Amino acid sequence: MRTMDLNDLDIFRCVVREGGVTRAAAMLHRVPSNVTTRIKQFEARLGVALFRREGRSLTLTEAGRTLLGHAEVLLRMADLAEQELRSGVVRGVLRLGSLESAAGARLPPILSAFHAQFPDVTIELQTGTTRAMLRQLERFEIEAAFVSEPFDRASLSSVPAFDEELVLITGRTAPGTGRRTLVAFPHGCSYRQRLIEWLAEEGASYDRVLEMSSYHAIVACVAAGTGMAIVPAEVLDHAVMSTAVERHKLPLHLRRNRTRLVWSGDASPALRALMALLPETAEARDRASGGARPYP
């Protein structure tokens, strides 16, 4: 059985990224007919159709979508292997996903330290909910993500990144009883689920959920008396309207929340270098050597 050719994978990925054979051929410095022939030969060898041809446009088949994920991983690892062997320097692109809370409050000093140590690595960061980040990991659109517990990590590797203290916030004139509006990120946000769990424990109900796309918007809406929300204390400390809301302590089992860095498969050199800078990981390493202080 023949092994998969990285050149075929590169041509296939280029056709997907460029949206067609003609633009892919120009990018690869080939003639379009050569690209078409290579794709057809690749499909014949695999025994599946990778593209569905609709007029002049191409769309990926289910098999094509599956192959694209593997192609991204294989080509990235091949590039990294060549770069490391040639220079011994960690370089390349590290595509990360993150909760907005982590991206805004926790990651800046870590990413700054990473850039200082590994200037040849470009970090591409995008934010979203835990559920959205896990979906992107499944589709190989990102290499790793900072997500909040709990989550289904049966097929993922992970390390602790940092702990968050969550607080309940309301407007200063918010009613103490009755039906409520929850202000939160869209479905898939673990903090939103915590708020619903807390209300259930308190025997309280809510009318609706007002979905926002940023913590600044969430805090502003709560300050205006629109509803209530759960946010990390670290994020609230840096929010513009933090003094315009009322903070309330949550029960201990809902108050502490851990963020983890998760990934699938083997961690790249760049990802391993990032892990070494995480406070929780560094603390665990120090504790193993007998020099750590207990986490407060």
Side-chain angles (χ1 to χ4, degrees), residues 122 269 293:
T122 299
R293 293 175 297 175

Side-chain angles (χ1 to χ4, degrees), residues 33-93:
S33 59
N34 175 262
V35 173
T36 298
T37 299
R38 291 292 296 267
I39 290 293
K40 287 182 177 179
Q41 290 174 343
F42 195 26
E43 289 177 320
R45 190 164 76 252
L46 295 173
V48 294
L50 300 174
F51 295 97
R52 184 178 298 107
R53 292 159 179 83
E54 299 173 350
R56 293 187 175 183
S57 64
L58 296 177
T59 59
L60 282 173
T61 62
E62 187 63 32
R65 283 192 291 271
T66 299
L67 179 63
L68 180 61
H70 293 299
E72 293 284 4
V73 173
L74 291 170
L75 291 169
R76 182 173 66 244
M77 295 304 292
D79 288 342
L80 287 172
E82 182 175 352
Q83 290 165 5
E84 286 188 63
L85 289 172
R86 286 181 180 275
S87 65
V89 176
V90 177
R91 64 175 73 241
V93 177

